[in-house]
Amino acid sequence: MKAKDLMEPFMHEGKSILLAYDQGFEHGPSADFNEKNVDPEYVLDIAKKGGFNGIILHKGIAEKYYEGKPPLILKLNGKTNVPKIEPISRQVCSVEYALSLEAKAVGYTIYLGSEYEHEMLSEFGRIQEEAHEKGLAAIAWVYPRGSAVQNDTTREIVSYAARLALEVGADAVKVKYTGDSESFRWVVRAAGRVRVFMSGGPKAPTEESFLQQVRGAMDAGAAGLAVGRNVWQHEDPMRMASYLKEIIFKNRKVEELTSKIRIQ
Ligand code: FBP
């Protein structure tokens, strides 16, 4: 039986752009934040005014700052980067609690290739069933990581991540870009009916280089982008958001935008 499209609250004409703000948990405040973006209100304002289709938060920030817009994706697991061990990210929030915070989806990271991947897979399996029973989408971040993984952006490993998301019942998957559109096309093929979101990554050296990656992912058939640092670390997040929307929703080429970038 074909399931209901639980990603619908996050989609606009089949495409989407999500703002991620869980890096304080994952990396610590000194790694990623400055005086402005350390404040959750600043980033939630970008999410609202920048026209993002969803915001990704942990429960603590959602409880204290979230005011109903844009639709919420509650991250259910997380880890810090302090222990130098094989990566494992365990559940810190329930589906029930995410629902009480008005989330429309839950998010969960699986480290494909970690010694502990089986624990995350089984936890996600349970979460996915409960989320679907309650009418929430289950979004998987599938990041190849751990001592068995040499390179986390090859065509082989990223397409495996995408396929894993399909097989384990995710509604959408967040994966890293493989570096070129052709190999990313295979990633999107492997994901089947699971919507593929490119993950932003650390702030790119130039605006243009980041926009080219987004263009490449969209040309490969991605549903959109789940981005954090490349937007809220930008000196003008609204400008970056508007370029991203031009590419994702209006299918604009980077060159059409970069002539504007050079003038500014
Ligand atoms: P960015 O666009 O800032 O990379 O955010 C995407 C994201 O998946 C976040 O949700 C998460 O906190 C972070 O990347 C994880 O980064 P890392 O690859 O260092 O684990």
Side-chain angles (χ1 to χ4, degrees):
M1 188 186 65
K2 203 170 151 194
K4 185 177 169 227
D5 182 9
L6 296 171
M7 285 299 291
E8 204 263 330
F10 303 99
M11 307 307 295
H12 174 71
E13 295 173 358
K15 303 284 190 303
S16 178
I17 173 167
L18 308 173
L19 192 64
Y21 189 56
D22 58 342
Q23 293 80 354
F25 194 140
E26 298 290 328
H27 305 148
S30 307
D32 292 333
F33 297 155
N34 60 22
E35 280 294 329
K36 279 189 189 165
N37 56 37
V38 71
D39 181 356
E41 278 188 49
Y42 176 76
V43 175
L44 273 154
D45 201 50
I46 294 171
K48 273 186 260 173
K49 294 189 181 142
F52 285 81
N53 304 104
I55 175 98
I56 299 157
L57 301 173
H58 272 285
K59 65 176 171 183
I61 292 189
E63 278 174 336
K64 293 174 185 63
Y65 296 89
Y66 180 65
E67 289 174 344
K69 277 192 184 139
L72 175 64
I73 298 159
L74 214 288
K75 196 72 204 304
L76 295 195
N77 70 335
K79 69 160 188 55
T80 75
N81 68 5
V82 180
K84 301 302 171 209
I85 56 169
E86 277 289 292
I88 170 146
S89 184
R90 293 297 303 261
Q91 190 170 0
V92 295
C93 178
S94 65
V95 176
E96 190 69 53
Y97 202 68
L99 195 61
S100 77
L101 292 171
E102 296 177 31
K104 299 283 180 286
V106 293
Y108 187 98
T109 302
I110 299 166
Y111 292 114
L112 166 63
S114 163
E115 268 176 41
Y116 304 112
E117 70 163 33
H118 57 285
E119 292 193 31
M120 291 169 274
L121 282 169
S122 102
E123 208 162 70
F124 181 77
R126 285 194 300 275
I127 284 170
Q128 182 265 5
E129 290 173 20
E130 196 186 337
H132 283 189
E133 272 164 29
K134 294 181 160 69
L136 301 183
I139 305 177
W141 280 225
V142 188
Y143 290 165
R145 196 162 298 176
S147 51
V149 178
Q150 309 300 324
N151 181 340
D152 64 352
T153 56
T154 64
R155 177 186 193 266
E156 288 67 29
I157 199 72
V158 183
S159 60
Y160 204 158
R163 189 65 177 203
L164 181 63
L166 170 64
E167 307 248 4
V168 76
D171 300 287
V173 66
K174 189 172 174 199
V175 286
K176 297 203 169 164
Y177 190 51
T178 49
D180 66 90
S181 194
E182 202 187 313
S183 59
F184 207 70
R185 193 179 300 279
W186 178 240
V187 173
V188 174
R189 287 285 293 143
R193 290 188 180 150
V194 172
R195 291 202 168 85
V196 175
F197 285 77
M198 183 191 118
S199 172
K203 190 156 180 277
T206 64
E207 214 168 44
E208 286 187 51
S209 62
F210 182 62
L211 296 174
Q212 287 294 2
Q213 289 180 33
V214 177
R215 183 67 268 167
M218 297 312 292
D219 287 343
L225 176 69
V227 60
R229 289 165 284 183
N230 275 286
V231 169
W232 46 252
Q233 285 180 352
H234 196 280
E235 69 278 9
D236 185 351
M238 290 303 147
R239 189 173 92 209
M240 182 48 112
S242 80
Y243 291 150
L244 292 171
K245 285 185 287 185
E246 295 275 328
I247 293 173
I248 293 171
F249 299 112
K250 298 195 183 147
N251 205 20
R252 297 278 293 273
K253 293 199 182 342
V254 177
E255 292 68 31
E256 297 173 54
L257 303 168
T258 48
S259 52
K260 278 200 223 160
I261 294 171
R262 287 201 193 93
I263 294 163
Q264 278 157 358

